[in-house]
Amino acid sequence: MITQRGLRPEDRPLIASLLASVPAFSDEERAVALELVDVQLAQPSADGYRFVLSVCGEASPALAGYLCYGRTPMTRSTYDLYWIATSPEFARLDVARGLVSTMEREIAREGGGLVRVETGSRERHGAVRFYDALQFTRAAVIPDFYEPGDDLLIFTKRVGALRASAAPPEASRAAPAPPESPAPADAPALYDAAFGYRDYVAERDFLLACARRFGARPVQRVLSWACGPARHLEAFAELGVGCAGADGSAAMIAYAERTAAARGAGAGIRFSCAELDERPDVPPVDLSFVSLSAIHQLATPAALERHLRLAASLLLPGGVHVIEATHPADLTPSGVNRTEWTELRGDQSIDARFRIHIERAAPDRVVPVSLEVVCSARRNGGAPRELSSIRQESTWHIPDLAGWRRVAERVPELALVATLGDFNVDVPFEHAAAWRLILVLKRL
């Protein structure tokens, strides 16, 4: 399990060893990186350099990666990302993305600001692709800055003020407004609170970008399969888009109707109780989607095919169907197959643990997964008191890309037009920074 913490004196040799393990760093670069460590250790109360370390293990900790950033002198709310390095041993654990996410969250807690990072144009570190994938903007270029052919690239990213707290390290976007506090035994509200870190507005905009880039019709009506609390639909309703939501849980549908109405979005959303392989009672749409790996509840290729046929039947010609799936590598020991995070809601703490039990995976890529969400009342100096919880285990089918292509080929009404690796239409699945598998299918 990887945890994050600040810099300690005993971390210097760990950082030196990590830097030595990365062949792309020169001796001069390693010396500069360690100089920043020494400056901070000499004056731990100073605010010039801030460190975030990702550490694996407790008894004999291994340093998976670290990041150094700080406020830019003589600016009101600008920050410099000075250094980021990850161990090659943890390459598939998305350590670098988690470090940047933590930095952004800390900046958001301080009111937000502009992040600036400088890097060379040559791909010896993979930095250019990494910052592109994290939706940094290329703000400036100074040709031949480092040497002929190696330009200085200046990337920037605007970080908004935090409106909710404590998203998990894998989430690289600011959290939305908090949902209502969960009540004991209210599983839909607890689920909503646990996944409140999702940036539904940003994901809505990504879905619209998929429709523009890969589809052939304007989006006037959308359908969210396995819609859960319907937060994506609320974001679409803000734009005046007609919305429909389908979910197999009647309790979740009732919760979504209640909360959407409370925020003034209920009139624009039509709900239907239907599983992913059942036809919902909704009119045809221009855009449909399945988010948060819910598609893996369909545990056989035949069930996936049924879902795609239903999606095709509800899409108008030129419309697109977007599936946010788990990265196939997460079914391997080097993948991200367990995650823990905490959401804070006033005097309540929502602790969540998700795990893909890869040790029990079947050859056909069917694997048990477990989710535990516990809402507790926090007490100063005392043990927390559990208020409500979700503890469930289910079976997922996580195809590789070839498996997805085989299923899609059996549905001639749909064409698989894009496979993406992030919530960014410019990041293909083959990208080095890919951490999801997002499939875009077009209705012919």
Side-chain angles (χ1 to χ4, degrees):
M1 180 59 62
I2 293 180
T3 59
Q4 292 185 339
R5 59 170 173 81
L7 181 67
R8 301 172 181 172
E10 61 267 26
D11 293 327
R12 190 188 191 280
L14 296 178
I15 293 177
S17 178
L18 185 152
L19 293 169
S21 72
V22 182
F25 293 149
S26 66
D27 290 341
E28 183 179 8
E29 287 171 327
R30 296 185 183 103
V32 170
L34 287 174
E35 182 179 342
L36 302 186
V37 174
D38 292 335
V39 168
Q40 184 59 29
L41 290 176
Q43 295 181 307
S45 62
D47 193 39
Y49 301 111
R50 308 178 189 181
F51 285 80
V52 182
L53 279 67
S54 287
V55 180
C56 183
E58 296 180 2
S60 300
L63 184 60
Y66 84 98
L67 174 147
C68 174
Y69 76 104
R71 283 186 174 272
T72 307
M74 296 183 292
T75 69
R76 176 175 297 180
S77 59
T78 298
Y79 298 76
D80 275 303
L81 171 52
Y82 294 112
W83 203 267
I84 184 170
T86 58
S87 168
E89 296 181 14
F90 298 89
R92 262 295 300 147
L93 291 184
D94 223 4
V95 172
R97 182 185 294 272
L99 290 167
V100 173
S101 172
T102 297
M103 175 193 70
E104 292 179 358
R105 196 160 62 250
E106 291 302 314
I107 292 172
R109 285 196 180 103
E110 296 180 7
L114 186 71
V115 180
R116 180 183 68 168
V117 58
E118 299 180 355
T119 189
S121 61
R122 289 181 177 171
E123 278 293 288
R124 57 196 179 116
H125 300 301
V128 175
R129 289 174 295 166
F130 177 70
Y131 294 118
D132 281 341
L134 291 187
Q135 298 182 317
F136 278 72
T137 299
R138 300 191 191 193
V141 179
I142 302 179
D144 303 322
F145 182 85
Y146 293 103
E147 61 183 11
D150 192 5
D151 307 335
L152 168 66
L153 301 182
I154 301 177
F155 287 84
T156 61
K157 185 175 184 179
R158 179 72 59 181
V159 177
L162 191 65
R163 293 177 288 164
S165 57
E170 289 77 9
S172 58
R173 302 156 188 85
E180 66 180 39
S181 296
D186 190 347
L190 184 52
Y191 180 92
D192 190 13
F195 291 91
Y197 66 84
R198 303 276 291 202
D199 190 335
Y200 299 104
V201 171
E203 292 175 21
R204 173 204 67 192
D205 292 344
F206 163 73
L207 291 166
L208 289 171
C210 286
R212 289 192 299 269
R213 175 74 65 89
F214 307 111
R217 61 181 307 113
V219 176
Q220 298 178 333
R221 189 166 185 84
V222 301
L223 167 61
S224 174
W225 295 82
C227 66
R231 300 295 180 176
H232 288 102
L233 294 177
E234 291 183 20
F236 275 105
E238 291 177 356
L239 301 180
V241 175
C243 299
D247 198 280
S249 167
M252 184 65 79
I253 289 292
Y255 172 83
E257 289 177 331
R258 184 172 71 251
T259 54
R263 280 184 288 273
I269 305 175
R270 175 174 174 174
F271 290 100
S272 177
C273 191
E275 300 286 358
L276 284 163
D277 57 352
E278 298 176 340
R279 184 182 180 87
D281 181 19
V282 298
V285 297
D286 310 298
L287 166 66
S288 61
F289 56 93
V290 187
S291 61
L292 203 63
S293 295
I295 193 68
H296 300 305
Q297 298 171 20
L298 300 175
T300 66
L304 287 174
E305 181 180 341
R306 285 197 301 274
H307 169 76
L308 292 184
R309 291 188 182 280
L310 288 169
S313 71
L314 288 169
L315 275 176
L316 294 166
V320 297
H321 183 53
V322 183
I323 298 174
E324 178 198 350
T326 295
H327 196 292
D330 290 347
L331 207 54
T332 69
S334 62
V336 183
N337 40 60
R338 61 175 68 193
T339 309
E340 297 183 8
W341 70 96
T342 297
E343 288 281 326
L344 302 179
R345 296 288 184 266
D347 62 351
Q348 295 180 359
S349 173
I350 297 94
D351 299 294
R353 298 178 180 86
F354 174 77
R355 181 178 178 185
I356 304 174
H357 297 270
I358 60 172
E359 73 281 358
R360 295 157 55 190
D364 56 358
R365 304 186 68 84
V366 173
V367 58
V369 300
S370 58
L371 173 67
E372 179 182 272
V373 183
V374 178
C375 176
S376 303
R378 296 184 294 152
R379 296 178 177 176
N380 294 329
R385 177 173 59 90
E386 182 175 317
L387 300 177
S388 58
S389 65
I390 300 171
R391 292 179 174 89
Q392 62 186 33
E393 182 169 307
S394 55
T395 301
W396 277 14
H397 175 47
I398 305 178
D400 57 15
L401 184 53
W404 278 110
R405 291 189 187 280
R406 286 193 296 270
V407 172
E409 288 170 356
R410 294 198 289 270
V411 185
E413 299 88 353
L414 293 175
L416 182 58
V417 292
T419 53
L420 307 176
D422 200 348
F423 293 100
N424 185 331
V425 292
D426 295 315
V427 178
F429 176 68
E430 296 78 13
H431 197 292
W435 66 290
R436 302 296 279 167
L437 171 55
I438 299 178
L439 304 111
V440 184
L441 300 106
K442 181 180 177 182
R443 178 68 164 87
L444 300 178

